[in-house]
Amino acid sequence: MNIFGKILLSLRKDGKIIKMNDAFEKVLRDNLLELGKSATGDLITSIDSSLELREENAHFNLEANKYLIYIDSGRKPGKYPNFDALSKWLTLKGISQDALFPIANKIKNKGIKATNVISNTILDIEKSEGIKILEQALATELEKTLAEQINLK
């Protein structure tokens, strides 16, 4: 197993992977709330992440309601949005249903601007505790590996 695999196993054993997942989820939720993307709360509560070690590779998985894609990447013009979902959103926001077709037409004609909330969350995590946890684990594992190498000689 390579050093990265050893680090991940060490982090998993120490429970730090769970802390990193929790940190990512919290920052993503906070960023969505800051953007005002919590009308129903469904998206916020749907967020779940995991980090899996497969062979010598790590795979980060993010699960959330499908429309996180549209919030993150935006939506190209050309198609009408889901009218039922838009109607529900209007009701939650206290906006008259008379606005349904004008808003749907605007989305069809102009699309929806991307927020890049996922990449911004990753940048926020890199500036915070998540990267510190990895750096500490890397330093610890490097020390162990070097000590093993020196003892082998």
Side-chain angles (χ1 to χ4, degrees):
M1 177 177 297
N2 68 17
I3 192 164
F4 186 66
K6 289 179 182 180
I7 291 168
L8 287 174
L9 286 175
S10 171
L11 288 172
R12 181 179 289 155
K13 185 175 71 173
D14 295 343
K16 291 181 180 172
I17 285 193
I18 293 169
K19 289 179 187 175
M20 289 171 55
N21 288 343
D22 290 347
F24 178 84
E25 291 171 20
K26 181 186 181 323
V27 173
L28 179 57
R29 286 185 184 106
D30 290 348
N31 287 348
L32 287 166
L33 289 169
E34 189 176 300
L35 291 167
K37 304 297 183 184
S38 60
T40 66
D42 291 345
L43 177 60
I44 301 294
T45 58
S46 73
I47 296 168
D48 190 29
S49 66
S50 63
L51 186 62
E52 298 175 17
L53 179 61
R54 297 186 203 148
E55 297 175 12
E56 294 184 353
N57 297 309
H59 296 272
F60 181 77
N61 302 306
L62 173 63
E63 294 183 23
N65 286 353
K66 182 180 177 183
Y67 59 92
L68 177 60
I69 295 167
Y70 298 115
I71 290 172
D72 182 60
S73 303
R75 179 185 171 120
K76 293 180 183 178
K79 290 185 177 182
Y80 281 106
N82 178 304
F83 283 92
D84 290 336
L86 183 55
S87 177
K88 183 179 177 183
W89 179 81
L90 290 171
T91 300
L92 289 166
K93 290 288 193 175
I95 300 171
S96 168
Q97 292 294 316
D98 293 341
L100 179 69
F101 288 104
I103 291 172
N105 280 326
K106 184 173 182 180
I107 292 171
K108 178 183 182 262
N109 294 328
K110 295 191 176 192
I112 298 173
K113 185 180 177 182
T115 63
N116 301 310
V117 69
I118 294 173
S119 57
N120 289 338
T121 297
I122 292 167
L123 290 173
D124 290 346
I125 289 292
E126 287 176 350
K127 296 176 195 170
S128 70
E129 292 303 310
I131 206 71
K132 290 177 186 171
I133 290 170
L134 281 175
E135 287 171 349
Q136 290 170 349
L138 179 59
T140 301
E141 198 56 44
L142 280 172
E143 286 175 10
K144 286 181 189 175
T145 302
L146 288 172
E148 288 172 5
Q149 293 296 322
I150 291 169
N151 287 336
L152 289 176
K153 292 182 178 182

